[in-house]
């Protein structure tokens, strides 16, 4: 589920796409794609939302492919590098990245690009990102109908008619088989991703060259049988060309022959996931269940098939699904795949990724291993895996550390790695029976998230050519046993190392050196946090230790971890109100992070917690700061009337805070917008204008206190325009630009204002500046293109529209403007 950065530096490794150095032009193209991938994700979501019920799958796939044009049109090395970079995204951009990676993985025709996109999707999924778009499978039945007709019409007459003759004698066709026979069966080597595709061909009649395809998509994490497609009858040759070869291209991975018993087992295991998760298999599978049972799933009467099933069971007990995993996985990928499979409940794959001499395999069979952990999942309910980082292990990380043999060759080569990750789960007595379940060095009482630090000895398996987990160590538990002085020493060393890296940080934040520096700092500070957890356990009443660990969490943007630390601080130190206030702030920041990742349900839950915490703070200590914090949260939830009341109360306590007045203005304009949850009725026009005037008065008060308040005059200009005071709005926006020459919103809004009043010459320099400040804004480019068109400057307008097409292809506004420009070109005197 994760790619090793070292792997990307070793071009030509077996089974992977060579990462040849990009030319300067290709690097520029890659940089452009990386800047616009959030826009690509927005385009994909827009297409998905606009999909009509019952829309043809092929049409929907084509619609979803349209926003990807900048990537699919790029040179293959650039597209491959882009897919690889998607997998490195974290934080706010991770959910955008996984949308693009998922779409590329399913829709990109170039196998190398699709393969890297699917690997990126796996890495992002392991890091907690979630895709909201479902890509429909290619409708094989429709595509294969033509091939079916051709095959059927080319069937020899001697095979179809008992009256046919050969040398004057009647030819009797061979009898039809007693039941359909499986003649071709293939599976993709993608089991490490938690998914697998099957293509089965059944001979149903007397002609050995005619088959019907059964195509299955299996998900061993959650969905079980995702899809099931039955094709029309076709020739074997067509089946190989139209299904197996297309499956290889679509999956970007090898498809290998399997037996009837193996196909049977895969489908049964996927159905077991449906049963365990309480979900239904795909509707098409249910519709064809009787046929599938008869051909594949029912207990066979044939002795050969019984023997085959027994042989497959014995093989699985030895090696599991290793033959169906990508053989070129690096050790880091195996670790990420193991953590992901274990966290998502795919314990069969987790068992298969353990080395043969791993103690867990010595103690339990595969079935015993799976059964116990399924029972644990039912009680612990693990969810929301977040994989922070996997890296080669530091020498002093564990007292049990053994020198790494990285770079060694041969079947017995071993490497040492460590992983930082977290998981939300509930305590379960069965957890004590799972040797691999680490100790959470920090646990959130609110969310149940446990933070882990684990280490792995990786061993190359000769028979499968896979890196497997030979040993696992709980570094979090080890850190708890270190002497006090050693913990303090390691924390000090960590901060010194971070300072040294910061001093040498390169200027270009997008360079590989910068990314490596960020990765190093993240790993160092994350390890320091675990040492801080251990120090807190030893010194539970030392507030300085809490604050230092809290500072590290904030430096990494680990706001949920900061919440857990503040939860532990409650009731331990004197300034309880301050601690609870900080807790509410961190809960709010956690909600913001979940919202940026597209996890709206989790964001709403955390926002509710933050509001409840701030309400408690206000009840305990009604200060202006506390009331302001609660007012902001209420406004964030759409409770603008309640927010206004809190902010008015705060102003009575502190009338010299400019920020309080700007927040009050926001709450008032929220009421004017008609989206106030406290008042279901829409405001009348008079009420809306009255609220706008009150908001303007509040901003004027803020200006008297501190005229440098960010975007103060931009807000004032927008309200003046709402009130119809155009000249005052222009003056306010000009004042905003004077105060902050980097305020792109001020330049854009003033330019749009001039454009709407048919003053394009005054609008042009303002819109050009807005685009320079924020070059990825589609709206800014659209307005500038419209301005150029109004000035009859078709070449410049077309240039802006070309840039929009690069950012988000297919926008109707672009097509409309191009039509206007074309008309102007035909009638140059018409303005």
């Amino acid at each position: 589920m994760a790619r090793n950065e070292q792997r990307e530096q070793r071009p030509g490794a077996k089974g992977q796409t060579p990462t040849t150095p990009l030319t300067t032009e290709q690097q520029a193209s890659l940089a452009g794609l990386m800047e616009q991938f959030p826009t690509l994700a927005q385009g994909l979501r827009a297409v998905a939302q606009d999909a009509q019920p019952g829309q043809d799958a092929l049409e929907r796939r084509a619609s979803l492919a349209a926003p990807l044009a900048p990537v699919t049109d790029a040179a293959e090395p650039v597209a491959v590098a882009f897919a690889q970079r998607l997998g490195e995204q974290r934080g706010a951009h991770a959910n955008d990245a996984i949308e693009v990676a998922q779409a590329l993985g399913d829709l990109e025709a170039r196998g190398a690009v699709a393969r890297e996109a699917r690997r990126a999707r796996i890495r992002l999924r392991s890091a907690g990102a979630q895709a909201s778009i479902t890509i429909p499978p290619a409708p094989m039945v429709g595509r294969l109908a033509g091939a079916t007709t051709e095959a059927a019409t080319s069937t020899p007459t001697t095979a179809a008619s008992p009256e046919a003759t050969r040398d004057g004698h009647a030819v009797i066709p061979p009898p039809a088989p007693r039941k359909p026979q499986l003649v071709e069966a293939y599976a993709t080597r993608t089991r490490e991703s938690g998914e697998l595709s099957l293509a089965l061909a059944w001979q149903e009649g007397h002609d050995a060259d005619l088959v019907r395809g059964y195509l299955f998509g299996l998900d061993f994490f959650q969905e079980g049988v995702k899809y099931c497609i039955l094709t029309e009858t076709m020739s074997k040759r067509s089946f190989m060309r139209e299904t197996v070869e297309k499956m290889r291209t679509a999956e970007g991975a090898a498809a290998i022959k399997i037996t009837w018993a193996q196909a049977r087992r895969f489908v049964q295991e996927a159905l077991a996931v449906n049963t365990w998760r309480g979900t239904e298999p795909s509707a098409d599978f249910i519709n064809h269940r009787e046929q599938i049972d008869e051909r594949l799933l029912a207990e066979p009467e044939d002795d050969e098939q019984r023997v085959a099933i027994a042989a497959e069971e014995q093989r699985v007990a030895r090696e599991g699904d290793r033959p169906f995993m990508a053989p070129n996985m690096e050790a880091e990928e195996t670790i990420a795949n193991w953590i992901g499979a274990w966290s998502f409940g795919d314990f069969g794959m987790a068992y298969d990724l353990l080395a043969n001499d791993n103690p867990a395999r010595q103690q339990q069979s595969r079935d015993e291993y799976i059964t116990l952990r399924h029972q644990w999942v039912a009680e612990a309910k693990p969810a929301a895996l977040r994989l922070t980082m996997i890296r080669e292990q530091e020498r002093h990380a564990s007292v049990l550390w053994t020198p790494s043999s990285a770079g060694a060759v041969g079947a017995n080569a071993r490497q040492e790695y460590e992983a930082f990750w977290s998981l939300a789960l509930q305590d379960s007595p069965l957890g004590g029976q799972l040797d691999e379940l680490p100790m959470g060095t920090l646990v959130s009482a609110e969310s149940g998230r446990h933070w882990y630090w684990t280490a792995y000895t990786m061993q190359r398996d000769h028979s499968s050519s896979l890196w497997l987990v030979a040993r696992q160590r709980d570094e979090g538990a080890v850190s708890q046993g270190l002497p006090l002085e050693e913990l303090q020493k390691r924390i000090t060393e960590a901060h010194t190392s971070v300072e040294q890296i910061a001093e040498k940080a390169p200027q270009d934040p997008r360079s590989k050196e910068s990314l490596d520096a960020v990765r190093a700092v993240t790993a160092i500070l994350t390890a320091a946090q675990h040492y801080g957890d251990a120090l807190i356990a030893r010194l539970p009443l030392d507030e300085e230790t809490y604050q230092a660990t809290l500072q590290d969490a904030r430096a990494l943007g680990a706001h949920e971890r900061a919440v857990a630390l503040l939860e532990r601080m409650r009731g331990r130190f004197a300034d309880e109100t301050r601690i609870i206030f900080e807790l509410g702030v961190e809960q709010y920041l956690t909600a913001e992070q979940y919202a940026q990742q597209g996890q709206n349900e989790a964001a709403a839950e955390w926002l509710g917690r933050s509001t409840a915490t701030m309400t408690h703070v206000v009840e305990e200590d009604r200060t202006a700061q506390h009331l302001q914090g609660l007012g902001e949260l209420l406004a964030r939830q759409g409770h603008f009337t309640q927010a206004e009341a809190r902010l008015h109360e705060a102003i009575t306590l502190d009338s010299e805070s400019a920020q309080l007045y700007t927040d009050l203005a926001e709450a008032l304009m929220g009421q004017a917008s008609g989206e106030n949850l406290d008042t279901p009725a829409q405001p009348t026009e008079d009420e809306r204008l009255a609220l706008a005037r009150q908001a303007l008065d509040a901003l004027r008060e803020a200006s008297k206190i501190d005229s440098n308040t960010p975007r103060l005059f931009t807000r004032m200009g927008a309200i003046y325009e709402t009130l119809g005071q155009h000249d005052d709005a222009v003056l306010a926006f000009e004042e905003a630009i004077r105060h902050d020459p980097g305020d792109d919103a001020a330049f854009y809004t003033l330019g749009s204002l001039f454009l709407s009043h048919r003053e394009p010459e005054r609008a042009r320099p303002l819109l050009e500046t807005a685009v320079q400040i924020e070059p990825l804004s589609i709206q800014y480019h659209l307005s500038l293109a419209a301005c150029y068109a109004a000035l009859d400057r078709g070449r410049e307008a077309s240039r802006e529209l070309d840039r929009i097409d690069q950012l988000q292809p297919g926008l109707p506004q672009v097509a409309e403007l191009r039509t206007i420009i074309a008309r102007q070109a035909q009638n140059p005197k018409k303005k």
Side-chain angles (χ1 to χ4, degrees):
M1 290 185 184
R3 285 184 53 84
N4 187 342
E5 275 69 20
Q6 291 183 351
R7 180 179 179 185
E8 297 177 6
Q9 298 170 16
R10 291 160 46 187
K14 180 180 178 182
Q16 69 186 69
T17 305
T19 53
T20 54
L22 300 180
T23 65
T24 302
E25 183 179 350
Q26 288 174 333
Q27 289 176 348
S29 178
L30 174 61
L33 289 177
M34 290 307 300
E35 288 179 353
Q36 60 181 289
F37 79 80
T39 307
L40 299 182
Q42 292 175 9
L44 288 166
R45 294 188 189 105
V47 172
Q49 290 173 357
D50 292 341
Q52 299 298 317
Q55 183 180 10
D56 179 74
L58 196 59
E59 292 179 2
R60 190 174 175 206
R61 286 171 65 89
S63 299
L64 288 166
L68 299 175
V71 185
T72 55
D73 292 345
E76 184 165 329
V78 175
V80 169
F82 172 72
Q84 293 171 345
R85 291 280 295 275
L86 286 176
E88 299 170 2
Q89 303 303 310
R90 297 294 182 268
H93 293 306
N95 271 64
D96 288 335
I98 198 172
E99 302 282 29
V100 179
Q102 173 152 306
L104 279 177
D106 286 346
L107 301 173
E108 169 63 69
R110 293 170 291 186
V113 181
R115 179 171 59 252
E116 293 302 332
R118 278 191 298 279
R119 288 175 175 167
R121 179 186 65 184
I122 294 166
R123 295 177 64 191
L124 291 161
R125 188 176 178 182
S126 300
Q130 294 183 353
S132 62
I133 299 170
T134 300
I135 310 296
M140 292 285 187
V141 176
R143 293 211 309 266
L144 299 175
T148 303
T149 303
E150 179 185 354
T153 56
S154 64
T155 304
T157 56
T158 55
S161 172
E163 290 79 18
T165 62
R166 183 180 298 147
D167 297 331
H169 299 283
V171 177
I172 301 174
R178 287 177 297 175
K179 64 177 183 178
Q181 303 292 317
L182 181 65
V183 293
E184 297 287 352
Y186 288 84
T188 54
R189 297 191 70 173
T190 54
R191 183 65 182 85
E192 77 284 353
S193 70
E195 298 182 353
L196 202 73
S197 296
L198 301 182
L200 312 181
W202 297 84
Q203 177 190 341
E204 298 180 325
H206 58 267
D207 191 339
D209 189 49
L210 290 181
V211 298
R212 186 186 302 277
Y214 280 60
L215 312 177
F216 296 94
L218 310 179
D219 173 24
F220 300 96
F221 286 172
Q222 186 72 35
E223 298 181 69
V225 180
K226 289 174 61 177
Y227 66 82
C228 170
I229 300 173
L230 271 64
T231 73
E232 298 292 340
T233 305
M234 69 185 79
S235 68
K236 275 190 191 179
R237 189 173 182 180
S238 295
F239 173 79
M240 294 299 297
R241 182 180 66 249
E242 298 293 334
T243 61
V244 177
E245 292 305 320
K246 287 185 181 293
M247 184 172 71
R248 284 172 173 156
T249 302
E251 296 289 345
I256 59 174
K257 292 198 75 166
I258 60 174
T259 66
W260 173 86
Q262 288 173 330
R264 180 179 189 269
R265 180 181 65 82
F266 280 132
V267 176
Q268 284 182 328
E269 289 191 356
L271 288 172
V273 173
N274 287 122
T275 301
W276 178 47
R277 295 293 192 185
T279 59
E280 289 290 332
S282 75
D284 288 332
F285 180 88
I286 295 173
N287 292 337
H288 299 296
R289 181 64 187 262
E290 185 175 348
Q291 287 185 34
I292 297 168
D293 282 347
E294 180 183 349
R295 300 183 181 197
L296 196 64
L297 301 179
E299 287 299 320
E301 298 178 1
D302 184 275
D303 288 340
E304 281 190 24
Q305 289 183 328
R306 290 175 179 171
V307 170
I309 291 173
E312 172 64 6
E313 290 175 351
Q314 292 174 5
R315 187 201 63 77
V316 171
R318 292 192 310 272
E319 59 184 9
D321 287 336
R322 291 175 188 170
F324 305 97
M325 299 179 188
N328 56 324
M329 286 192 297
E330 296 289 351
E332 282 190 32
E333 285 183 285
T334 296
I335 294 169
N337 284 327
W338 187 90
I339 294 174
W342 187 87
S343 301
F344 295 141
D346 187 1
F347 297 114
M349 188 172 80
Y351 188 86
D352 298 340
L353 289 175
L354 300 176
N356 292 338
D357 63 351
N358 187 290
R361 289 182 72 103
Q362 301 296 313
Q363 297 165 7
Q364 293 175 301
S365 68
R366 192 174 190 265
D367 287 343
E368 291 170 341
Y369 184 91
I370 294 171
T371 300
L372 175 61
R373 283 149 187 81
H374 276 180
Q375 294 171 359
W376 171 75
V377 167
E379 296 180 359
K381 297 179 174 55
L385 169 67
R386 191 172 297 155
L387 183 56
T388 303
M389 180 172 293
I390 299 172
R391 67 167 184 171
E392 287 195 64
Q393 191 170 24
E394 297 274 344
R395 277 185 182 271
H396 68 197
S398 171
V399 294
L400 302 177
W401 186 90
T402 56
S404 170
S405 57
V409 296
N412 295 321
R414 291 193 172 207
Q415 294 183 0
E416 304 292 331
Y417 287 88
E418 60 187 350
F420 304 101
W421 52 294
S422 65
L423 194 64
L425 53 85
Q426 301 174 14
D427 289 333
S428 163
L430 287 174
Q433 300 181 42
L434 309 185
D435 291 337
E436 75 276 12
L437 178 61
M439 182 191 78
T441 62
L442 181 66
V443 179
S444 170
E446 283 283 354
S447 65
R449 182 170 294 278
H450 292 56
W451 280 267
Y452 302 124
W453 179 12
T454 49
Y456 305 86
T457 298
M458 305 302 295
Q459 177 178 301
R460 177 74 81 173
D461 179 65
H462 178 70
S463 60
S464 64
S465 298
L466 293 172
W467 283 102
L468 301 176
V469 180
R471 296 291 185 276
Q472 176 178 335
R473 299 178 301 282
D474 186 351
E475 292 295 351
V478 170
S479 68
Q480 297 283 319
L482 292 174
L484 189 66
E485 295 75 12
E486 181 66 17
L487 289 170
Q488 293 169 331
K489 174 187 173 185
R490 294 192 184 187
I491 293 172
T492 301
E493 289 174 348
H495 290 145
T496 301
S497 297
V498 168
E499 291 172 3
Q500 292 172 347
I501 292 171
E503 290 173 359
K504 300 176 183 178
Q507 294 294 325
D508 184 1
R510 296 176 297 180
S511 67
K512 182 181 181 303
E513 292 75 13
S514 289
L515 294 175
D516 289 343
V518 170
R519 179 180 171 85
V521 167
T522 300
I524 291 168
L525 286 183
T526 303
Q529 287 179 101
H530 286 282
Y531 290 135
D533 295 339
L535 202 57
I536 287 171
R538 306 285 289 278
L539 303 171
L541 298 179
D542 183 358
E543 186 174 4
E544 185 177 339
T545 301
Y546 283 95
Q547 291 293 348
T549 309
L550 189 61
Q551 184 176 351
D552 288 341
R554 287 169 171 160
L556 292 174
H559 297 296
E560 193 169 350
R561 205 180 205 285
V563 167
L565 287 165
L566 288 162
E567 288 170 358
R568 294 191 64 173
M569 294 176 69
R570 292 186 67 170
R572 294 178 184 267
F573 304 106
D575 195 352
E576 176 81 354
T577 303
R578 176 187 57 81
I579 292 170
I580 299 176
F581 177 75
E582 290 185 18
L583 174 62
V585 172
E586 294 296 336
Q587 289 171 332
Y588 168 72
L589 294 173
T590 302
E592 289 288 286
Q593 283 187 331
Y594 276 109
Q596 291 168 4
Q597 295 166 8
Q599 300 182 50
N600 295 328
E601 186 176 339
E605 186 177 348
W606 277 102
L607 190 59
R609 289 172 180 157
S610 178
T611 304
T613 300
M614 285 297 187
T615 301
H616 173 75
V617 170
V618 167
E619 291 172 352
E620 293 294 319
D621 189 9
R622 227 171 179 81
T623 67
Q625 182 190 26
H626 297 162
L627 286 162
Q628 180 183 11
L630 180 56
E632 288 181 12
L633 289 173
L634 290 167
R636 174 73 172 77
Q637 291 178 300
H639 293 289
F640 296 113
T641 302
Q642 294 183 51
E644 179 194 356
R646 297 294 185 277
L647 292 166
H648 273 303
E649 187 177 353
I651 288 171
T652 62
L653 297 173
D654 181 7
S655 60
E656 297 302 315
S657 170
Q659 191 61 50
L660 280 173
Y661 286 101
T662 58
D663 288 348
L664 176 60
E666 293 292 327
L668 290 165
M669 291 307 294
Q671 295 177 56
S673 70
E675 298 179 357
N676 185 12
L677 296 180
D678 297 331
T679 306
Q682 293 290 310
T684 65
E685 181 64 18
D686 289 343
E687 289 171 340
R688 192 175 67 84
L689 294 176
L691 288 165
R693 293 188 189 96
Q694 292 177 44
L696 187 60
D697 290 340
L699 292 177
R700 286 171 177 158
E701 289 297 324
S703 176
K704 293 177 185 177
I705 298 168
D706 183 2
S707 61
N708 293 316
T709 302
R711 299 204 167 180
L712 172 65
F713 293 99
T714 303
R715 293 185 176 98
M716 291 178 70
I719 296 175
Y720 275 127
E721 190 63 19
T722 298
L723 293 171
Q725 299 174 223
H726 175 65
D727 292 339
D728 290 330
V730 171
L731 292 173
F733 285 125
E734 289 175 343
E735 187 69 10
I737 292 170
R738 189 181 69 80
H739 273 80
D740 182 5
D743 187 349
D744 58 284
F747 282 100
Y748 167 72
T749 311
L750 181 55
S752 298
L753 201 59
F754 286 139
L755 194 60
S756 67
H757 286 265
R758 298 186 179 182
E759 299 179 81
E761 194 57 56
R762 295 181 71 183
R764 180 186 57 78
L766 296 162
L767 294 173
E768 287 175 340
T769 304
V771 166
Q772 290 173 2
I773 298 173
E774 188 53 63
L776 295 182
S777 171
I778 291 174
Q779 189 57 51
Y780 290 5
H781 284 290
L782 273 172
S783 294
L784 181 55
C787 182
Y788 283 139
L791 293 168
D792 202 11
R793 296 169 62 166
R795 181 177 299 177
E796 290 97 328
S798 296
R799 180 195 65 201
E800 294 303 315
L801 296 177
D802 290 341
R803 289 174 179 168
I804 295 170
D805 281 337
Q806 292 176 349
L807 293 170
Q808 187 171 334
L811 288 177
Q813 301 97 311
V814 172
E816 183 179 348
L817 274 173
R818 289 195 189 279
T819 301
I820 294 172
I821 294 168
R823 289 174 182 167
Q824 289 176 342
Q826 293 173 357
N827 304 283
K829 293 184 179 180
K830 288 188 177 182
K831 300 287 182 174

